Amino acid sequence: MRSLFTAPALAVAFVAALVTALVTVPGTAARAATGIHVSGTKILEGNGQEFVMRGTSHAHTWFPTRTKAFADIKSLKANTVRVVLSGGRWSANSVSDVANVVSLCKQNKLICVLEDHDTTGYGEQSGAYTLDQAADYWISIKSALVGQEDYVVVNIGNEPIGNNATTPGWADATKAAIQKLRANGFGHALMVDAPAWGQDWQNVMRDSAASVFNADPAKNTIFSVHMYGVYDTAAEITSYLDAFRTAGLPLVIGEFGFNHSDGNPDEDTIMAQAVSRGVGYLGWSWSGNGGGVEYLDQVTNFDVTQLTSWGRRLFDGADGIAATARQATVYGGTTTDPTPPTVPGTPSASNVTASGATLTWTASTDNVGVTGYDVYTSTGAPLGATATASITLTGLTPATAYQVHVKARDAAGNQSAASPTASFTTLPGSGGGGCTAAGTVQSQWNNGYVLQPVTVTNTGTTTRNGWTVTFTLPAGHTVTGFWNAAVTVSGQTVTARNLGYNGTLAPDAATSFGIQAGRPNFDTSVPSGYTCAG
């Protein structure tokens, strides 16, 4: 991988001798998370309202007089700005300077992600600081940050390790930095960048994120991946985002671009996936890039009226900042969300009993986030609610055919359209002749379906040496195939008898057979009235 260090050319020169470790203020008891905080995969404000970052980075440490950038970034509808700071690798940003940056963020109603750029490329780039040194810098400017937890996220160190191995490794160094800040009283949400120039192409952060999160006494750590050339296909992007969603951990795309010297990022997928999943993103960067990546400027010469093609894409394009950003409620932003989730997938029934069944389906997506699902019968009667894409229904009526669908909902109360319908029939409470039978529609199409399995269970106390199952097909339905049973049809009544190899059933033992049936187009009625006899 090639370096993603994008400081402007005029700032490339830095002091040859590293500054000695900054003095640590006396330790205080770790503070509980307050203000901006995480809950599962989500980032919440202090009042519990979800907040999704939409913004860009501003290289304040190299351009300290370009303070108009804060108002300009806000004018393009951003809700967050990530601010580049330095503790000494470049001209150090003082307590008063950082306090002024926080004030500018608040004046312009922006959430302020403050990042220490000193750590960029440690182990590969000369002069880079350690994460421990970065923690010392934050402690040295603590007075500018305490009390600002509703407005400030502390991004401990930018791209803290290059591609070369270092000791301690990323996970241990990150845990130690987090714990050092907590021990010194920081209750802020902490953001940690991935190694490998932020791109985590070896999945070090992905695979150790849970242990890092659990090492935070406040459980208030946000993970940040930088998506450049490594993320040039939709598969790579979705796979990485899926890993954090599955782990239940909060992830932000802390930097990304539309192009880069190490490859061509798929910015369309990055933005679309972030929006559909409710994941924050921060583009790189407002203006002033040098060192061969000047094309990453979003405006020319810090002039908001001169948006570049990358700036237009990020702010005004599909899934861009103007269309998807919501101002933080701490600044009076609205919680209105008019967009419903997408339609859930078709439910699939399993573990059907006389009084219950398990349903699973493909999850919905939402511009902010799906909060739950509601399950209904075909007549609109509610059957249950769940926070995940699965539910175990109880209290159903025995020997009854059910047709069900699912609707997703979000935090604003928006409900999706109904999923396609699924059908299943509960088992009888008791069966004639000491056996029961019930069938499940496994798959279906416009003019047919497969009824499988039709399960036959010996409910008696002695071994059964044969069984006969009958059930009724809906009007117009016909049997077109069958297996594991001898089947005859009279009118709409189907009779299935055991074959030589599956007629003997010990007590509580079960076997099954299958039926393929034809039906008039779009008739979703299902077989019913299962009975079993010896």
Side-chain angles (χ1 to χ4, degrees), residues 435-484:
C435 66
T436 61
T440 299
V441 175
Q442 180 191 67
S443 59
Q444 55 185 314
W445 52 96
N446 287 349
N447 58 359
Y449 54 93
V450 171
L451 190 65
Q452 177 180 279
V454 180
T455 302
V456 183
T457 304
N458 180 6
T459 59
T461 58
T462 60
T463 297
R464 173 175 296 280
N465 293 310
W467 46 262
T468 300
V469 171
T470 60
F471 58 93
T472 302
L473 290 174
H477 292 217
T478 59
V479 171
T480 59
F482 51 88
W483 49 95
N484 293 340

Side-chain angles (χ1 to χ4, degrees), residues 188-231:
H188 303 70
L190 301 177
M191 183 181 291
V192 295
D193 280 9
W197 298 96
Q199 296 205 73
D200 202 27
W201 57 274
Q202 294 175 311
N203 293 323
V204 172
M205 183 174 80
R206 186 200 70 179
D207 295 343
S208 55
S211 68
V212 170
F213 184 85
N214 290 326
D216 178 359
K219 300 295 187 289
N220 198 20
T221 296
I222 301 164
F223 298 90
S224 172
V225 64
H226 294 183
M227 289 190 168
Y228 292 102
V230 170
Y231 300 92

Side-chain angles (χ1 to χ4, degrees), residues 25 50 58 69 114 185 189 199 229 446 516 523:
V25 300
E50 184 175 356
H58 170 51
L114 303 178
Q199 296 205 73
N446 287 349
Q516 182 170 314
D523 177 9

